[in-house]
Amino acid sequence: MASPKERGAKAGGLAVALREALNKRGGLWFGWSGETQVDPPSEPKVFRSGKVTYALQTLDPEDQRAHYAGYANGTLWPLCHYRLGLLNFRRTDWEGYRRVNATFARALMPLLKPDDIVWVHDYHFIPLASELRALGFEGRIGYFHHIPFPTPEVFLTLPSHAALVRDLSRYDLVGLQTEHDVRALLTYVSSEARGWIAPGGVVGLRDRRFRIATYPIGIDADAFVHDAEAAAGSEEEERLKASLAGRALAVGVDRLDYSKGLPNKFAAFGELLKSHPERRSTVTMMQVAPLSRSEVTEYQALRRELEELAGAINGEYAEFDWVPLRYLNRPFQRATLAAIYRTARLGVVTPLRDGMNLVAKEYVAAQNPEDPGVLVLSRFAGAADELSGSVIVNPYDVEGMADALNSALSMTLGERKDRWRANMEKVTRNTIHRWCETFITDLSGVDGYGAGVEPARSLPAPKKATRGRN
Ligand code: ADP
């Protein structure tokens, strides 16, 4: 979870929405302080700002490594992104992951009131509810999984799969990004965990009853539209346009992560220039890819691979006045990103697998309604479920992607507008604010759990339950 110190473009989305929700109701923001220390204090640093109390916990360096680079990003991240070849499972990492969750629970517990509701974010903290329950917390706890949830065939490769699903059952509400993710988890529950499933995603597992539902995350659409409009005619936009010298711009903005399909995207752009030579010197691709998790070996290898690929494409096709692929490993302010998105004729978002992908939504929000660009989007991004106006591609099909880029570049203004309107309608409807409100409302039970079902509390299985095998 982002800390209150977080700045820059990333703080524009999730962190701001959650902070807004907390500011409205008042509440406690609990997370890692970003610091490690041998024998760290068992109590978090607590301070107040407005209606919000912040509590930040420092971790032991070895625990932090085992938790973050080890189990969370060396095991769960590749697993949930269907990259079994990159999955490293070590018992010591698993133990460190659980230890950090136990440490967090012990530090958080004294700060909780019995009727508080707790919202836990992401795969780093799946066991937090189990640990809080073990310490006696009986209030509502919700969990949102920001990344994909894998199908059972993939999930079963994880040695700790059963323990993790038991951990999920300690929540009252488990939120996932897409229907596909919900189906994957429900299938596991019914076919592997001997659970039962009732209407509305209510699930029973052993002595627990909880709900699994879809909450597609969105962006702060109004803020993005505002930034993009402010970018029109700005000095940065003018500089960018001048540098393009009338050429079309195709843009990609992704953390440097193997889930983002960057080598395939580069290869597709190279293939476009090879198989559609008339496109040479008419289109420039800009890939913004800030470095991420550089302490994990796989990320270092990916960085080298991309540098090689970018060099090869530019070496092969560049002219003295045209560099086909601009590759930038740096972050930008949100206003600059908005200017880049708005200038780009194509937004190229082609992850091999992605929970949602907010860049896709930001690209849509930043477009000029009178002359919108086209979103080329991987079918394996959660956003593809909503953004049906995109050109949907399979990122494993490099030649297919090159053809898709070619036809998107030729699209008429009328078609671009139709596609953009369809996408923009979704982006403005399912905003980050709506996502936040809906989850909190469902969790706090204001409207009850879905179809009038009561919240989970160690209830017996209903008679007409669907039972799994075994
Ligand atoms: P992930 O959460 O896996 O990184 P998303 O696409 O869902 O992927 O979210 C990425 C967020 O990070 C977006 O809000 C995007 O604007 C931001 N971002 C990505 N690259 C940069 C960059 N170079 N500078 C600033 N913000 C960036």
Side-chain angles (χ1 to χ4, degrees):
M1 183 70 264
S3 90
K5 280 191 199 151
E6 190 176 14
R7 289 188 202 96
K10 269 215 102 150
L14 176 65
V16 167
L18 292 177
R19 209 171 304 157
E20 257 176 34
L22 276 176
N23 275 328
K24 220 190 283 174
R25 296 154 202 266
L28 171 72
W29 174 303
F30 182 90
W32 181 40
S33 65
E35 288 158 14
T36 57
Q37 177 184 328
V38 177
D39 289 330
S42 55
E43 287 178 5
K45 280 180 230 162
V46 179
F47 58 94
R48 231 183 134 74
S49 168
K51 277 182 168 171
V52 184
T53 303
Y54 293 92
L56 302 179
Q57 180 62 35
T58 295
L59 291 171
D60 169 83
E62 180 43 32
D63 280 1
Q64 194 273 336
R65 190 216 56 78
H67 172 262
Y68 186 79
Y71 192 76
N73 288 315
T75 308
L76 287 181
W77 180 270
L79 176 89
C80 290
H81 290 87
Y82 293 73
R83 299 298 293 274
L84 296 184
L86 300 176
L87 188 153
N88 289 307
F89 176 83
R90 291 185 205 88
R91 279 189 192 170
T92 46
D93 290 346
W94 167 236
E95 286 156 11
Y97 176 76
R98 296 209 70 93
R99 226 171 17 252
V100 165
N101 276 275
T103 304
F104 267 43
R106 276 196 303 275
L108 176 59
M109 188 66 191
L111 305 174
L112 292 179
K113 296 189 213 73
D115 59 347
D116 275 347
I117 66 165
V118 179
W119 189 4
V120 177
H121 285 270
D122 230 356
Y123 57 103
H124 314 79
F125 298 113
I126 294 173
L128 197 64
S130 293
E131 300 294 346
L132 286 171
R133 301 283 184 220
L135 296 172
F137 184 71
E138 291 181 350
R140 300 282 172 82
I141 316 181
Y143 168 75
F144 189 77
H145 192 71
H146 288 258
I147 63 176
F149 199 92
T151 51
E153 295 75 16
V154 172
F155 190 52
L156 284 167
T157 60
L158 181 71
S160 44
H161 62 87
L164 278 187
V165 171
R166 260 199 311 279
D167 287 332
L168 286 176
S169 76
R170 302 288 158 198
Y171 291 94
D172 297 293
L173 177 61
V174 171
L176 301 172
Q177 298 274 25
T178 65
E179 292 296 335
H180 180 273
D181 297 322
V182 167
R183 254 195 326 274
L185 179 51
L186 290 180
T187 308
Y188 175 94
V189 165
S190 64
S191 64
E192 296 295 333
R194 300 169 164 208
W196 51 261
I197 299 167
V202 176
V203 163
L205 205 53
R206 299 180 181 211
D207 61 338
R208 289 288 301 171
R209 180 169 156 175
F210 64 111
R211 186 171 169 227
I212 300 171
T214 312
Y215 299 88
I217 196 169
I219 60 166
D220 185 345
D222 288 345
F224 237 91
V225 169
H226 175 268
D227 283 354
E229 282 170 357
S234 67
E235 193 202 319
E236 274 179 323
E237 195 193 63
E238 293 302 321
R239 268 176 60 203
L240 174 59
K241 282 189 174 157
S243 77
L244 292 168
R247 297 181 180 97
L249 176 66
V251 74
V253 175
D254 311 80
R255 264 183 318 104
L256 200 134
D257 191 292
Y258 52 76
S259 67
K260 302 292 182 184
L262 291 168
N264 299 33
K265 193 195 293 193
F266 283 14
F269 183 62
E271 181 60 34
L272 171 76
L273 301 178
K274 180 174 154 216
S275 55
H276 300 277
E278 70 285 3
R279 292 288 179 202
R280 292 180 199 165
S281 260
T282 70
V283 55
T284 296
M285 170 146 228
M286 182 192 295
Q287 178 63 51
V288 178
L291 301 182
S292 152
R293 303 177 195 162
S294 333
E295 68 275 33
V296 180
T297 323
E298 285 74 16
Y299 289 70
Q300 296 157 9
L302 175 65
R303 187 178 177 186
R304 282 193 296 276
E305 182 184 0
L306 290 172
E307 282 164 1
E308 232 170 75
L309 277 169
I313 290 171
N314 285 335
E316 173 112 24
Y317 298 107
E319 297 289 344
F320 63 80
D321 61 348
W322 173 59
V323 178
L325 179 58
R326 300 181 189 178
Y327 176 47
L328 299 86
N329 291 132
R330 50 157 292 190
F332 285 100
Q333 291 302 314
R334 194 169 71 177
T336 313
L337 276 186
I340 298 174
Y341 290 144
R342 195 177 174 96
T343 305
R345 169 53 56 87
L346 304 185
V348 190
V349 180
T350 55
L352 301 179
R353 192 67 65 166
D354 213 330
M356 176 53 63
N357 197 291
L358 296 179
V359 165
K361 295 186 171 183
E362 291 168 0
Y363 176 76
V364 170
Q367 294 310 298
N368 173 2
E370 298 310 316
D371 185 21
V374 181
L375 179 62
V376 177
L377 181 62
S378 163
R379 61 171 295 168
F380 301 117
D385 282 14
E386 293 168 86
L387 304 183
S388 56
S390 316
V391 173
I392 301 292
V393 295
N394 176 354
Y396 292 92
D397 178 4
V398 166
E399 286 151 334
M401 276 203 288
D403 289 343
L405 292 173
N406 187 46
S407 57
L409 282 166
S410 317
M411 223 166 248
T412 61
L413 177 61
E415 183 170 0
R416 283 192 276 126
K417 280 185 171 176
D418 288 347
R419 285 174 175 271
W420 175 76
R421 271 190 225 106
N423 281 348
M424 190 61 179
E425 200 256 318
K426 297 285 173 40
V427 168
T428 45
R429 179 153 28 110
N430 294 334
T431 62
I432 184 90
H433 308 291
R434 180 172 166 170
W435 170 82
C436 208
E437 281 300 317
T438 316
F439 191 93
I440 294 175
T441 304
D442 282 4
L443 178 58
S444 48
V446 173
D447 291 325
Y449 273 178
V453 185
E454 8 166 348
R457 286 293 181 280
S458 305
L459 296 173
K463 286 206 174 81
K464 275 189 162 176
T466 335
R467 267 212 171 275
R469 66 177 154 82
N470 295 332

